[in-house]
């Protein structure tokens, strides 16, 4: 199958079927706005294809895809440094394992709830399929906030979380990784506790330290992959990143390494942010400034405004970077951080490329604005798939009991991002331009749906 078999997105039959489908979904999932938003974008783009394939309708593949295989929810009880007892909620949403064991990160943030984890787990199905590696979709996490906690408190929380989670995971069952609030430190504590509880050393988590089974480049992979994807989009359009001004939101794992790769490829990064505000550095970051920022965020766990204080530039307290004129925007912080109004501002200020390092950072409205304006828009499912791709490579190395070199992993990451881009072009080309949203959704879906049909109803 290729994109030429799809019917027009505007067909009234498709629109009516989409509306009916979404009405049912809303009824089944009230109070889950994030999940409904993620599903709406996907269903809207897939419906024309589904209508052309009666076997998919008969097996109710789309309906089954929108319902997780299971949601595990548990209490996490831990003690702070004063001996006070705290109770958090933990979850694992195992969404779909048609093409491989469940795979997806753990998010530790006070905003985590079932809706957020369902949206993330749902998107993960398509993203993992796009990587070409055998990984199903899942996500998990807790409403625990690591910010302001001591290392010992974070350790006790992670150990308590793993005491429950360990029953549901395994290298051939479900392989969690990190996400917001769950970085190298947390993965170390989680993995250590799994090993103690099960008395086995297994590749049951990814994002591990290189000393104990982690992969080189895993830390950098989501940010690097996002920039490789932007580079692929630009190169397909006969352009490059060289000399372009770039605004990046966030200053966490994804944002920092997106900045590093963008700079290596000749772009000028002029803004970064955190939940407190945005720093605007018109001269652009250089290697020294980025090293300083990486130390601030990854080691000292400080705030972005300290960058402005240290390097004498402006800090826009409480603002997103989207007001700053740039040619390339990389939203790398969190969901719904870029709305329709901000999308219009970016375009009016000359932005031509938006590539999502975060998951669903653009609202539905913003996505429509970008698609209508012909912006080169790389959706998160495709653009940030480099992280889970290298996680998949970490699983392979663990199975082989081997470690690959930096160059080997980076080479494979670049190949995977090129392949994902090629799939988007194949499935999303229409009248000479590429709709990357449709391309990513459809390419991811076709493979999973074939597997679901092959496995029979269940
Ligand atoms: P981190 O926790 O390392 O960093 C998150 C960054 O985003 C921080 O700068 C944080 O600021 C900011 N942020 C978080 N929540 C908010 C908010 N509500 N408003 C404004 N800023 C916010 O997470 P990652 O870098 O790992 O993840 C970032 C995004 O990328 C997420 O959407 C994640 O799902 C996605 N992603 C991550 C992958 C990975 O490999 N890590 C893989 C694929 C996608 P502050 O410190 O002030 O909270």
């Amino acid at each position: 199958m290729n994109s030429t078999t799809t019917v027009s997105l505007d067909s009234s039959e498709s629109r009516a079927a989409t509306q009916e489908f979404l009405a049912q979904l809303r009824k089944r999932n009230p109070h889950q706005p994030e999940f409904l938003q993620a599903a709406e974008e996907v269903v809207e783009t897939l419906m024309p294809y589904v209508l052309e394939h009666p076997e998919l309708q008969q097996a109710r593949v789309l309906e089954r895809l929108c319902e997780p295989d299971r949601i595990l929810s548990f209490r996490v009880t831990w003690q702070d440094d004063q001996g006070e007892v705290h109770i958090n909620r933990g979850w694992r949403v195992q969404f779909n394992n048609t093409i491989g064991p469940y795979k997806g990160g753990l998010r530790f943030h006070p905003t985590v709830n079932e809706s957020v984890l369902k949206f993330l787990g749902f998107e993960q199905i398509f993203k993992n399929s796009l990587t070409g590696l055998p990984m199903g979709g899942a996500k998990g996490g807790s409403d625990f906030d690591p910010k302001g906690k001591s290392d010992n408190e974070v350790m006790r929380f992670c150990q308590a979380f793993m005491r429950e989670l360990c029953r549901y995971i395994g290298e051939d069952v479900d392989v969690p990784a990190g996400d917001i609030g769950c970085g190298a430190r947390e993965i170390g504590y989680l993995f250590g506790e799994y090993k103690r509880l099960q008395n086995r050393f297994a590749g049951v988590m990814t994002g591990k330290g290189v000393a104990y089974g982690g992969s080189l480049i895993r830390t950098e992979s989501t940010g690097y992959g996002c920039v490789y994807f932007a580079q692929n989009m630009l190169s397909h359009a006969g352009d490059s990143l060289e000399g372009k001004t770039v605004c990046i939101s966030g200053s966490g794992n994804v944002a920092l390494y997106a900045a590093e790769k963008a700079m290596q490829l000749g772009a000028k990064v002029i803004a970064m942010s955190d939940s407190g505000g945005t720093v605007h550095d018109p001269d652009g970051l250089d290697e020294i400034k980025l090293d300083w920022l990486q130390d601030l965020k990854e080691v000292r766990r400080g705030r972005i405004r300290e960058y402005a204080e240290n390097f004498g530039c402006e800090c826009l307290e409480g603002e997103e970077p989207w007001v700053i004129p740039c040619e390339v925007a990389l939203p790398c912080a969190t969901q719904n951080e870029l709305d329709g109004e901000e999308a219009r501002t970016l375009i009016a200020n000359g932005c031509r490329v938006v590539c999502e390092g975060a998951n669903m950072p653009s609202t539905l409205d913003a996505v429509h604005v970008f698609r209508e304006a012909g912006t080169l828009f790389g959706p998160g499912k495709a653009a940030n798939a480099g992280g889970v791709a290298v996680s998949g490579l970490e699983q392979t190395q663990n199975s082989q009991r081997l470690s690959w070199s930096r160059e080997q992993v980076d080479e494979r990451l670049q190949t995977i991002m090129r392949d994902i881009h090629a799939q988007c072009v194949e499935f999303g080309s229409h009248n000479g331009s590429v709709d990357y949203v449709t391309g990513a959704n459809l390419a991811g879906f076709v493979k999973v749906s074939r597997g679901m049909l092959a496995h029979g109803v269940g």
Side-chain angles (χ1 to χ4, degrees):
M1 139 58 225
N2 65 39
S3 51
T4 54
T5 60
T6 60
V7 296
S8 158
L9 187 69
D10 296 330
S11 98
S12 58
E13 190 194 353
S14 170
R15 258 180 290 141
T18 301
Q19 286 319 317
E20 197 185 315
F21 187 97
L22 292 174
Q24 288 303 320
L25 205 64
R26 282 186 203 107
K27 219 191 248 175
R28 279 176 75 79
N29 301 279
H31 320 302
Q32 298 200 339
E34 293 87 359
F35 170 61
L36 290 169
Q37 180 183 340
E40 182 171 340
E41 187 223 82
V42 167
V43 171
E44 196 177 88
T45 51
L46 294 184
M47 192 56 83
Y49 177 76
V50 172
L51 290 180
E52 286 210 331
H53 291 80
E55 71 281 12
L56 295 176
Q57 292 173 64
Q58 206 180 355
R60 303 191 68 184
V61 166
L62 209 48
E63 287 87 341
R64 283 158 60 195
L65 255 185
C66 289
E67 194 67 38
D69 289 352
R70 67 192 64 80
I71 300 178
L72 305 151
S73 158
F74 45 90
R75 189 190 69 234
V76 186
T77 313
W78 57 281
Q79 274 181 301
D80 66 21
D81 290 342
Q82 282 69 46
E84 203 175 310
V85 174
H86 296 265
I87 297 163
N88 283 98
R89 278 201 181 143
W91 290 271
R92 186 70 180 163
V93 179
Q94 297 180 331
F95 226 114
N96 186 295
N97 65 354
T98 299
I99 62 171
Y102 301 109
K103 182 91 196 86
L106 297 173
R107 178 174 291 191
F108 296 153
H109 195 271
T111 57
V112 165
N113 57 39
E114 224 170 272
S115 170
V116 168
L117 296 178
K118 275 178 69 180
F119 117 64
L120 289 162
F122 180 71
E123 297 232 311
Q124 200 81 45
I125 304 169
F126 302 88
K127 184 190 306 192
N128 293 1
S129 166
L130 282 170
T131 65
L133 300 171
M135 301 182 289
K139 200 81 188 188
S142 172
D143 55 2
F144 172 78
D145 187 359
K147 240 186 252 153
K149 307 285 190 302
S150 71
D151 285 350
N152 275 328
E153 289 171 333
V154 170
M155 178 181 77
R156 285 194 291 273
F157 165 79
C158 288
Q159 291 174 341
F161 186 87
M162 184 51 85
R163 276 199 291 279
E164 271 300 318
L165 185 71
C166 72
R167 303 158 200 260
Y168 312 115
I169 61 176
E171 62 272 40
D172 295 321
V173 180
D174 184 352
V175 184
D179 190 73
I180 291 180
C182 184
R185 173 183 60 171
E186 289 76 13
I187 296 285
Y189 293 145
L190 290 161
F191 180 73
E193 189 65 1
Y194 179 87
K195 186 173 55 69
R196 278 179 217 109
L197 291 165
Q198 305 286 328
N199 192 28
R200 47 195 297 272
F201 193 107
V204 72
M205 296 207 64
T206 59
K208 298 186 291 297
V210 174
Y212 53 92
S215 175
L216 289 163
I217 304 277
R218 173 61 189 95
T219 307
E220 298 90 336
S221 58
T222 310
Y224 278 18
C226 175
V227 174
Y228 290 146
F229 195 84
Q231 186 191 32
N232 276 291
M233 288 198 297
L234 277 160
S235 143
H236 189 73
D239 202 346
S240 84
L241 265 173
E242 181 73 38
K244 298 256 181 321
T245 48
V246 181
C247 281
I248 301 178
S249 64
S251 45
N253 172 262
V254 180
L256 288 170
Y257 293 97
E260 183 172 293
K261 185 51 71 179
M263 285 157 55
Q264 284 170 6
L265 295 179
K268 186 173 172 185
V269 177
I270 56 168
M272 299 199 61
S273 70
D274 67 14
S275 57
T278 293
V279 290
H280 181 199
D281 186 347
D283 296 337
L285 274 76
D286 56 24
E287 225 175 283
I288 293 171
K289 291 175 182 176
L290 185 62
D291 279 353
W292 189 91
L293 185 59
Q294 280 173 346
D295 184 65
L296 176 78
K297 284 295 180 180
E298 293 182 328
V299 182
R300 289 180 282 142
R301 300 183 192 274
R303 309 305 299 156
I304 195 84
R305 72 178 139 64
E306 296 171 49
Y307 176 99
E309 287 155 15
N310 197 58
F311 294 108
C313 64
E314 192 184 8
C315 180
L316 313 168
E317 295 280 348
E319 295 232 28
E320 306 275 3
W322 318 130
V323 289
I324 299 166
C326 64
E327 292 159 294
V328 178
L330 305 178
C332 295
T334 193
Q335 66 269 10
N336 292 327
E337 52 163 319
L338 200 174
D339 64 19
E341 178 97 25
E342 290 164 324
R344 281 181 211 97
T345 304
L346 276 170
I347 292 166
N349 285 339
C351 180
R352 276 200 55 216
V353 181
V354 177
C355 199
E356 297 186 326
N359 284 310
M360 207 170 74
S362 312
T363 63
L364 277 174
D365 191 19
V367 176
H368 287 143
V369 171
F370 291 136
R371 289 170 78 190
E372 268 160 36
T375 309
L376 287 180
F377 176 71
K381 276 184 217 85
N384 70 37
V388 75
V390 174
S391 274
L393 301 180
E394 181 175 331
Q395 287 178 264
T396 307
Q397 293 169 74
N398 291 166
S399 305
Q400 294 180 325
R401 298 183 191 278
L402 286 174
S403 298
W404 300 343
S405 70
R406 245 186 112 77
E407 291 69 30
Q408 268 177 301
V409 180
D410 193 32
E411 183 63 43
R412 282 178 190 248
L413 171 62
Q414 291 189 49
T415 306
I416 289 171
M417 296 315 294
R418 239 190 335 265
D419 285 351
I420 294 175
H421 180 268
Q423 291 177 68
C424 291
V425 172
E426 182 189 344
F427 286 86
S429 291
H430 191 64
N431 293 336
S433 66
V434 185
D435 174 354
Y436 285 94
V437 175
T438 300
N441 290 342
L442 199 50
F445 173 74
V446 167
K447 184 168 151 193
V448 176
S449 65
R450 283 186 185 150
M452 287 173 73
L453 287 178
H455 296 176
V457 176

